[in-house]
Amino acid sequence: MTNVVMPQMGESIAEGTIVRWIKKVGDTIDRDEPLFEISTDKVDAEIPSPAAGILTEIRVKEGETVPVNSIVATIGAAGDVKAADAPPSDALPAAAAGQPETAVKRSEWEVDEEPEEETEPESREDVRRQKSSPLVRKIAQEHNVDLTQIQGTGLSGRVTKQDILGYIQLGKKPEPAGKEPEQPGKKPERRAEAPSTPATPPSVTFKPGENTRVVAMSVMRKKIAEHMVLSAHTSPHVYSVYEVNFARVSALRDKKKADYEAAGAKLTFTAFIAKVAIDALRQFPIVNASIDGDNIVYKKDINLGIAVALENGLIVPVIRNADEKNLLGLTRAINDLANRARTKKLNPDEVQAGTFTITNPGIFGALYGLPLINQPQVAILGVGTIEKRAVVIDDAIAIRPLCHITLGHDHRLVDGADAGRFLAFVKERLENFDEGWL
């Protein structure tokens, strides 16, 4: 018998909420196969099974919040299944103990795989449940909508809240999130790129005569709110903003991006910024430190957090020992963590122990941002949009791709002079990026 516990998903996280059980009592499960989905302020994640066997008991229902290390389920042999255990209200009926199911149900992460030869076709109800959340199904029931008729824009075709609300409001299938129609003759605006398309938050619709709509915060949104209030109350935030000419970086990216794609990595501006920020952190260790009471904690390791926008919040996966990677290694790490953050495949230790964070409001067109520090760190780098502007060079007007970078810093430890030296270093390195650093 193996106990399944609520994992520790962050240094400051004391509890987690079960969002969804992927398996039900009586199901066979392999080691490391997704078992349930949780939500905290740092991550929404699918948690893998710690052992192979039969899911014999579910102790925590969907929607319940429990402390970390609490037992949420047990895995054992077929004969251990407790007949009195009922699956969560959203789950399908459990198979009888020791009896095989008549059809192999595939979890959401497996929907692109071919079914086994002996598997019977999935019912429309199975597909509907796999590709929607309880909230989406409730909305569909209230509005008499067949979810199988909606082309979902979520992971593996999952129907999101935005999809169904758009379908109801407009009477048609919504466009994939983040996709804008192309206009003939219009060139796309160049912005500081994220590893993938930023998420679009779900919309809110109002019934006739309804002036307000009260919706409970998600677990992630509540935890983000608590974390941001803590940061604002803890650190006296000060900001410094520098303008950077990205002509050199842009030229190198255009030159090398085909080679990187051939190596399986999408080369973005974020990788260049990360490489230079890491060099700056090594040069100015006070920016990579933290405060513990009246002590300054200097950190040898540079664990770089990269903020990733999700449909319902924000997550900061961490590249451990980022200074040990070259530009290709950083590019691969950024792409991988961002993709797995959006598909809820991050491991618990991949959102912990960050020492410095980069966030990129420029992907949404912001000129610059004033982000709050990710505690217990003492600084955060914000990257604005990269766009061509007129600039004076040697008394002549020229067009260059410019970007504003912002350092938000904790004035208890990092003074304005420290921030100025840090940003000046980053600016100089980006504007004179050496091809040998690739």
PDB file of all heavy atoms in Angstrom, residues 366-395:
ATOM      1  N   ALA A 366       3.141  46.365 -23.940  1.00  0.00           N
ATOM      2  CA  ALA A 366       3.468  47.390 -22.941  1.00  0.00           C
ATOM      3  C   ALA A 366       4.821  48.026 -23.242  1.00  0.00           C
ATOM      4  O   ALA A 366       5.788  47.329 -23.554  1.00  0.00           O
ATOM      5  CB  ALA A 366       3.493  46.771 -21.549  1.00  0.00           C
ATOM      6  N   LEU A 367       4.891  49.334 -23.128  1.00  0.00           N
ATOM      7  CA  LEU A 367       6.154  50.050 -23.342  1.00  0.00           C
ATOM      8  C   LEU A 367       7.174  49.621 -22.289  1.00  0.00           C
ATOM      9  O   LEU A 367       8.344  49.409 -22.596  1.00  0.00           O
ATOM     10  CB  LEU A 367       5.923  51.560 -23.275  1.00  0.00           C
ATOM     11  CG  LEU A 367       7.101  52.459 -23.643  1.00  0.00           C
ATOM     12  CD1 LEU A 367       7.509  52.230 -25.096  1.00  0.00           C
ATOM     13  CD2 LEU A 367       6.750  53.923 -23.400  1.00  0.00           C
ATOM     14  N   TYR A 368       6.722  49.499 -21.053  1.00  0.00           N
ATOM     15  CA  TYR A 368       7.531  48.945 -19.971  1.00  0.00           C
ATOM     16  C   TYR A 368       6.583  48.557 -18.840  1.00  0.00           C
ATOM     17  O   TYR A 368       5.392  48.896 -18.873  1.00  0.00           O
ATOM     18  CB  TYR A 368       8.606  49.917 -19.474  1.00  0.00           C
ATOM     19  CG  TYR A 368       8.085  51.215 -18.900  1.00  0.00           C
ATOM     20  CD1 TYR A 368       7.760  51.313 -17.560  1.00  0.00           C
ATOM     21  CD2 TYR A 368       7.942  52.348 -19.699  1.00  0.00           C
ATOM     22  CE1 TYR A 368       7.288  52.498 -17.024  1.00  0.00           C
ATOM     23  CE2 TYR A 368       7.477  53.537 -19.184  1.00  0.00           C
ATOM     24  CZ  TYR A 368       7.143  53.611 -17.839  1.00  0.00           C
ATOM     25  OH  TYR A 368       6.674  54.785 -17.320  1.00  0.00           O
ATOM     26  N   GLY A 369       7.100  47.848 -17.859  1.00  0.00           N
ATOM     27  CA  GLY A 369       6.275  47.451 -16.731  1.00  0.00           C
ATOM     28  C   GLY A 369       6.944  47.779 -15.410  1.00  0.00           C
ATOM     29  O   GLY A 369       8.156  48.012 -15.345  1.00  0.00           O
ATOM     30  N   LEU A 370       6.147  47.799 -14.349  1.00  0.00           N
ATOM     31  CA  LEU A 370       6.646  48.028 -12.987  1.00  0.00           C
ATOM     32  C   LEU A 370       6.212  46.841 -12.126  1.00  0.00           C
ATOM     33  O   LEU A 370       5.327  46.945 -11.285  1.00  0.00           O
ATOM     34  CB  LEU A 370       6.101  49.347 -12.419  1.00  0.00           C
ATOM     35  CG  LEU A 370       6.425  50.621 -13.212  1.00  0.00           C
ATOM     36  CD1 LEU A 370       5.730  51.826 -12.579  1.00  0.00           C
ATOM     37  CD2 LEU A 370       7.932  50.844 -13.277  1.00  0.00           C
ATOM     38  N   PRO A 371       6.837  45.689 -12.330  1.00  0.00           N
ATOM     39  CA  PRO A 371       6.388  44.470 -11.657  1.00  0.00           C
ATOM     40  C   PRO A 371       6.746  44.442 -10.175  1.00  0.00           C
ATOM     41  O   PRO A 371       7.722  45.059  -9.734  1.00  0.00           O
ATOM     42  CB  PRO A 371       7.144  43.370 -12.414  1.00  0.00           C
ATOM     43  CG  PRO A 371       8.396  44.046 -12.894  1.00  0.00           C
ATOM     44  CD  PRO A 371       7.996  45.450 -13.225  1.00  0.00           C
ATOM     45  N   LEU A 372       5.940  43.705  -9.417  1.00  0.00           N
ATOM     46  CA  LEU A 372       6.239  43.486  -8.005  1.00  0.00           C
ATOM     47  C   LEU A 372       7.273  42.375  -7.865  1.00  0.00           C
ATOM     48  O   LEU A 372       7.310  41.425  -8.648  1.00  0.00           O
ATOM     49  CB  LEU A 372       4.970  43.106  -7.239  1.00  0.00           C
ATOM     50  CG  LEU A 372       3.951  44.224  -7.017  1.00  0.00           C
ATOM     51  CD1 LEU A 372       2.707  43.675  -6.347  1.00  0.00           C
ATOM     52  CD2 LEU A 372       4.547  45.340  -6.181  1.00  0.00           C
ATOM     53  N   ILE A 373       8.116  42.512  -6.864  1.00  0.00           N
ATOM     54  CA  ILE A 373       9.196  41.556  -6.626  1.00  0.00           C
ATOM     55  C   ILE A 373       8.619  40.211  -6.196  1.00  0.00           C
ATOM     56  O   ILE A 373       7.651  40.141  -5.434  1.00  0.00           O
ATOM     57  CB  ILE A 373      10.153  42.105  -5.545  1.00  0.00           C
ATOM     58  CG1 ILE A 373      10.838  43.379  -6.051  1.00  0.00           C
ATOM     59  CG2 ILE A 373      11.186  41.071  -5.134  1.00  0.00           C
ATOM     60  CD1 ILE A 373      11.546  44.161  -4.965  1.00  0.00           C
ATOM     61  N   ASN A 374       9.219  39.150  -6.687  1.00  0.00           N
ATOM     62  CA  ASN A 374       8.822  37.795  -6.335  1.00  0.00           C
ATOM     63  C   ASN A 374       9.564  37.396  -5.057  1.00  0.00           C
ATOM     64  O   ASN A 374      10.717  36.993  -5.096  1.00  0.00           O
ATOM     65  CB  ASN A 374       9.159  36.848  -7.493  1.00  0.00           C
ATOM     66  CG  ASN A 374       8.623  35.454  -7.293  1.00  0.00           C
ATOM     67  OD1 ASN A 374       7.790  35.213  -6.426  1.00  0.00           O
ATOM     68  ND2 ASN A 374       9.101  34.518  -8.092  1.00  0.00           N
ATOM     69  N   GLN A 375       8.904  37.532  -3.928  1.00  0.00           N
ATOM     70  CA  GLN A 375       9.535  37.257  -2.632  1.00  0.00           C
ATOM     71  C   GLN A 375      10.013  35.803  -2.544  1.00  0.00           C
ATOM     72  O   GLN A 375       9.379  34.915  -3.089  1.00  0.00           O
ATOM     73  CB  GLN A 375       8.551  37.546  -1.500  1.00  0.00           C
ATOM     74  CG  GLN A 375       8.085  38.981  -1.435  1.00  0.00           C
ATOM     75  CD  GLN A 375       9.200  39.948  -1.074  1.00  0.00           C
ATOM     76  OE1 GLN A 375      10.119  39.612  -0.339  1.00  0.00           O
ATOM     77  NE2 GLN A 375       9.115  41.163  -1.599  1.00  0.00           N
ATOM     78  N   PRO A 376      11.139  35.542  -1.861  1.00  0.00           N
ATOM     79  CA  PRO A 376      11.955  36.469  -1.059  1.00  0.00           C
ATOM     80  C   PRO A 376      13.098  37.115  -1.838  1.00  0.00           C
ATOM     81  O   PRO A 376      14.109  37.507  -1.250  1.00  0.00           O
ATOM     82  CB  PRO A 376      12.500  35.550   0.023  1.00  0.00           C
ATOM     83  CG  PRO A 376      12.710  34.250  -0.693  1.00  0.00           C
ATOM     84  CD  PRO A 376      11.581  34.138  -1.681  1.00  0.00           C
ATOM     85  N   GLN A 377      12.978  37.215  -3.144  1.00  0.00           N
ATOM     86  CA  GLN A 377      14.005  37.861  -3.953  1.00  0.00           C
ATOM     87  C   GLN A 377      14.018  39.364  -3.677  1.00  0.00           C
ATOM     88  O   GLN A 377      13.110  39.904  -3.036  1.00  0.00           O
ATOM     89  CB  GLN A 377      13.749  37.579  -5.434  1.00  0.00           C
ATOM     90  CG  GLN A 377      13.787  36.089  -5.780  1.00  0.00           C
ATOM     91  CD  GLN A 377      13.181  35.761  -7.131  1.00  0.00           C
ATOM     92  OE1 GLN A 377      13.158  36.588  -8.038  1.00  0.00           O
ATOM     93  NE2 GLN A 377      12.690  34.536  -7.279  1.00  0.00           N
ATOM     94  N   VAL A 378      15.036  40.047  -4.172  1.00  0.00           N
ATOM     95  CA  VAL A 378      15.146  41.486  -3.911  1.00  0.00           C
ATOM     96  C   VAL A 378      15.103  42.313  -5.188  1.00  0.00           C
ATOM     97  O   VAL A 378      15.246  43.539  -5.130  1.00  0.00           O
ATOM     98  CB  VAL A 378      16.445  41.813  -3.131  1.00  0.00           C
ATOM     99  CG1 VAL A 378      16.401  41.205  -1.747  1.00  0.00           C
ATOM    100  CG2 VAL A 378      17.681  41.371  -3.899  1.00  0.00           C
ATOM    101  N   ALA A 379      14.884  41.669  -6.345  1.00  0.00           N
ATOM    102  CA  ALA A 379      14.820  42.427  -7.593  1.00  0.00           C
ATOM    103  C   ALA A 379      14.111  41.610  -8.653  1.00  0.00           C
ATOM    104  O   ALA A 379      14.041  40.374  -8.586  1.00  0.00           O
ATOM    105  CB  ALA A 379      16.223  42.803  -8.076  1.00  0.00           C
ATOM    106  N   ILE A 380      13.574  42.323  -9.651  1.00  0.00           N
ATOM    107  CA  ILE A 380      12.887  41.681 -10.772  1.00  0.00           C
ATOM    108  C   ILE A 380      13.100  42.540 -12.014  1.00  0.00           C
ATOM    109  O   ILE A 380      13.058  43.775 -11.941  1.00  0.00           O
ATOM    110  CB  ILE A 380      11.383  41.492 -10.467  1.00  0.00           C
ATOM    111  CG1 ILE A 380      10.692  40.737 -11.610  1.00  0.00           C
ATOM    112  CG2 ILE A 380      10.692  42.819 -10.191  1.00  0.00           C
ATOM    113  CD1 ILE A 380       9.274  40.298 -11.247  1.00  0.00           C
ATOM    114  N   LEU A 381      13.363  41.892 -13.149  1.00  0.00           N
ATOM    115  CA  LEU A 381      13.618  42.603 -14.400  1.00  0.00           C
ATOM    116  C   LEU A 381      12.381  42.536 -15.284  1.00  0.00           C
ATOM    117  O   LEU A 381      11.887  41.455 -15.610  1.00  0.00           O
ATOM    118  CB  LEU A 381      14.801  41.970 -15.135  1.00  0.00           C
ATOM    119  CG  LEU A 381      15.274  42.699 -16.400  1.00  0.00           C
ATOM    120  CD1 LEU A 381      15.904  44.049 -16.047  1.00  0.00           C
ATOM    121  CD2 LEU A 381      16.265  41.834 -17.171  1.00  0.00           C
ATOM    122  N   GLY A 382      11.858  43.703 -15.656  1.00  0.00           N
ATOM    123  CA  GLY A 382      10.716  43.784 -16.564  1.00  0.00           C
ATOM    124  C   GLY A 382      11.177  44.197 -17.947  1.00  0.00           C
ATOM    125  O   GLY A 382      11.992  45.115 -18.088  1.00  0.00           O
ATOM    126  N   VAL A 383      10.671  43.526 -18.976  1.00  0.00           N
ATOM    127  CA  VAL A 383      11.079  43.789 -20.365  1.00  0.00           C
ATOM    128  C   VAL A 383       9.886  44.319 -21.143  1.00  0.00           C
ATOM    129  O   VAL A 383       8.836  43.664 -21.219  1.00  0.00           O
ATOM    130  CB  VAL A 383      11.616  42.506 -21.032  1.00  0.00           C
ATOM    131  CG1 VAL A 383      12.066  42.800 -22.456  1.00  0.00           C
ATOM    132  CG2 VAL A 383      12.760  41.910 -20.217  1.00  0.00           C
ATOM    133  N   GLY A 384      10.044  45.513 -21.726  1.00  0.00           N
ATOM    134  CA  GLY A 384       8.976  46.107 -22.515  1.00  0.00           C
ATOM    135  C   GLY A 384       8.991  45.627 -23.953  1.00  0.00           C
ATOM    136  O   GLY A 384       9.818  44.800 -24.356  1.00  0.00           O
ATOM    137  N   THR A 385       8.063  46.140 -24.746  1.00  0.00           N
ATOM    138  CA  THR A 385       7.975  45.757 -26.145  1.00  0.00           C
ATOM    139  C   THR A 385       9.201  46.241 -26.928  1.00  0.00           C
ATOM    140  O   THR A 385       9.764  47.298 -26.629  1.00  0.00           O
ATOM    141  CB  THR A 385       6.694  46.326 -26.783  1.00  0.00           C
ATOM    142  OG1 THR A 385       6.566  45.822 -28.107  1.00  0.00           O
ATOM    143  CG2 THR A 385       6.714  47.840 -26.835  1.00  0.00           C
ATOM    144  N   ILE A 386       9.615  45.463 -27.898  1.00  0.00           N
ATOM    145  CA  ILE A 386      10.709  45.848 -28.790  1.00  0.00           C
ATOM    146  C   ILE A 386      10.081  46.328 -30.089  1.00  0.00           C
ATOM    147  O   ILE A 386       9.410  45.549 -30.778  1.00  0.00           O
ATOM    148  CB  ILE A 386      11.655  44.664 -29.063  1.00  0.00           C
ATOM    149  CG1 ILE A 386      12.290  44.178 -27.765  1.00  0.00           C
ATOM    150  CG2 ILE A 386      12.743  45.060 -30.056  1.00  0.00           C
ATOM    151  CD1 ILE A 386      13.139  42.924 -27.922  1.00  0.00           C
ATOM    152  N   GLU A 387      10.270  47.593 -30.417  1.00  0.00           N
ATOM    153  CA  GLU A 387       9.690  48.150 -31.636  1.00  0.00           C
ATOM    154  C   GLU A 387      10.607  49.214 -32.218  1.00  0.00           C
ATOM    155  O   GLU A 387      11.411  49.826 -31.510  1.00  0.00           O
ATOM    156  CB  GLU A 387       8.311  48.740 -31.359  1.00  0.00           C
ATOM    157  CG  GLU A 387       8.285  49.852 -30.329  1.00  0.00           C
ATOM    158  CD  GLU A 387       6.874  50.333 -30.031  1.00  0.00           C
ATOM    159  OE1 GLU A 387       5.917  49.696 -30.528  1.00  0.00           O
ATOM    160  OE2 GLU A 387       6.734  51.341 -29.321  1.00  0.00           O
ATOM    161  N   LYS A 388      10.502  49.388 -33.509  1.00  0.00           N
ATOM    162  CA  LYS A 388      11.356  50.350 -34.192  1.00  0.00           C
ATOM    163  C   LYS A 388      10.904  51.773 -33.899  1.00  0.00           C
ATOM    164  O   LYS A 388       9.726  52.102 -33.981  1.00  0.00           O
ATOM    165  CB  LYS A 388      11.335  50.090 -35.695  1.00  0.00           C
ATOM    166  CG  LYS A 388      12.027  48.800 -36.098  1.00  0.00           C
ATOM    167  CD  LYS A 388      12.049  48.615 -37.604  1.00  0.00           C
ATOM    168  CE  LYS A 388      12.803  47.353 -37.991  1.00  0.00           C
ATOM    169  NZ  LYS A 388      12.849  47.150 -39.458  1.00  0.00           N
ATOM    170  N   ARG A 389      11.901  52.613 -33.549  1.00  0.00           N
ATOM    171  CA  ARG A 389      11.621  54.015 -33.271  1.00  0.00           C
ATOM    172  C   ARG A 389      12.757  54.866 -33.848  1.00  0.00           C
ATOM    173  O   ARG A 389      13.858  54.369 -34.114  1.00  0.00           O
ATOM    174  CB  ARG A 389      11.524  54.280 -31.760  1.00  0.00           C
ATOM    175  CG  ARG A 389      10.513  53.437 -31.036  1.00  0.00           C
ATOM    176  CD  ARG A 389      10.316  53.930 -29.602  1.00  0.00           C
ATOM    177  NE  ARG A 389       9.584  52.951 -28.801  1.00  0.00           N
ATOM    178  CZ  ARG A 389      10.130  52.124 -27.954  1.00  0.00           C
ATOM    179  NH1 ARG A 389      11.442  52.160 -27.757  1.00  0.00           N
ATOM    180  NH2 ARG A 389       9.407  51.271 -27.266  1.00  0.00           N
ATOM    181  N   ALA A 390      12.456  56.149 -33.990  1.00  0.00           N
ATOM    182  CA  ALA A 390      13.489  57.084 -34.452  1.00  0.00           C
ATOM    183  C   ALA A 390      14.427  57.405 -33.301  1.00  0.00           C
ATOM    184  O   ALA A 390      13.985  57.633 -32.169  1.00  0.00           O
ATOM    185  CB  ALA A 390      12.843  58.357 -34.985  1.00  0.00           C
ATOM    186  N   VAL A 391      15.727  57.399 -33.575  1.00  0.00           N
ATOM    187  CA  VAL A 391      16.720  57.681 -32.559  1.00  0.00           C
ATOM    188  C   VAL A 391      17.856  58.493 -33.185  1.00  0.00           C
ATOM    189  O   VAL A 391      18.146  58.357 -34.380  1.00  0.00           O
ATOM    190  CB  VAL A 391      17.272  56.359 -31.960  1.00  0.00           C
ATOM    191  CG1 VAL A 391      17.918  55.508 -33.032  1.00  0.00           C
ATOM    192  CG2 VAL A 391      18.231  56.617 -30.824  1.00  0.00           C
ATOM    193  N   VAL A 392      18.480  59.374 -32.402  1.00  0.00           N
ATOM    194  CA  VAL A 392      19.585  60.184 -32.903  1.00  0.00           C
ATOM    195  C   VAL A 392      20.895  59.444 -32.656  1.00  0.00           C
ATOM    196  O   VAL A 392      21.243  59.112 -31.527  1.00  0.00           O
ATOM    197  CB  VAL A 392      19.612  61.556 -32.212  1.00  0.00           C
ATOM    198  CG1 VAL A 392      20.820  62.367 -32.695  1.00  0.00           C
ATOM    199  CG2 VAL A 392      18.323  62.322 -32.493  1.00  0.00           C
ATOM    200  N   ILE A 393      21.627  59.181 -33.744  1.00  0.00           N
ATOM    201  CA  ILE A 393      22.933  58.526 -33.680  1.00  0.00           C
ATOM    202  C   ILE A 393      23.936  59.369 -34.471  1.00  0.00           C
ATOM    203  O   ILE A 393      23.764  59.573 -35.662  1.00  0.00           O
ATOM    204  CB  ILE A 393      22.869  57.093 -34.258  1.00  0.00           C
ATOM    205  CG1 ILE A 393      21.876  56.232 -33.455  1.00  0.00           C
ATOM    206  CG2 ILE A 393      24.257  56.459 -34.248  1.00  0.00           C
ATOM    207  CD1 ILE A 393      21.720  54.838 -33.989  1.00  0.00           C
ATOM    208  N   ASP A 394      24.962  59.859 -33.763  1.00  0.00           N
ATOM    209  CA  ASP A 394      25.978  60.715 -34.403  1.00  0.00           C
ATOM    210  C   ASP A 394      25.328  61.889 -35.124  1.00  0.00           C
ATOM    211  O   ASP A 394      25.631  62.185 -36.292  1.00  0.00           O
ATOM    212  CB  ASP A 394      26.832  59.896 -35.373  1.00  0.00           C
ATOM    213  CG  ASP A 394      27.642  58.822 -34.676  1.00  0.00           C
ATOM    214  OD1 ASP A 394      27.999  59.031 -33.507  1.00  0.00           O
ATOM    215  OD2 ASP A 394      27.888  57.763 -35.296  1.00  0.00           O
ATOM    216  N   ASP A 395      24.410  62.553 -34.422  1.00  0.00           N
ATOM    217  CA  ASP A 395      23.719  63.744 -34.942  1.00  0.00           C
ATOM    218  C   ASP A 395      22.880  63.462 -36.180  1.00  0.00           C
ATOM    219  O   ASP A 395      22.527  64.380 -36.938  1.00  0.00           O
ATOM    220  CB  ASP A 395      24.726  64.868 -35.249  1.00  0.00           C
ATOM    221  CG  ASP A 395      25.392  65.397 -33.996  1.00  0.00           C
ATOM    222  OD1 ASP A 395      24.747  65.357 -32.924  1.00  0.00           O
ATOM    223  OD2 ASP A 395      26.551  65.836 -34.067  1.00  0.00           O
TER     224      ASP A 395
END
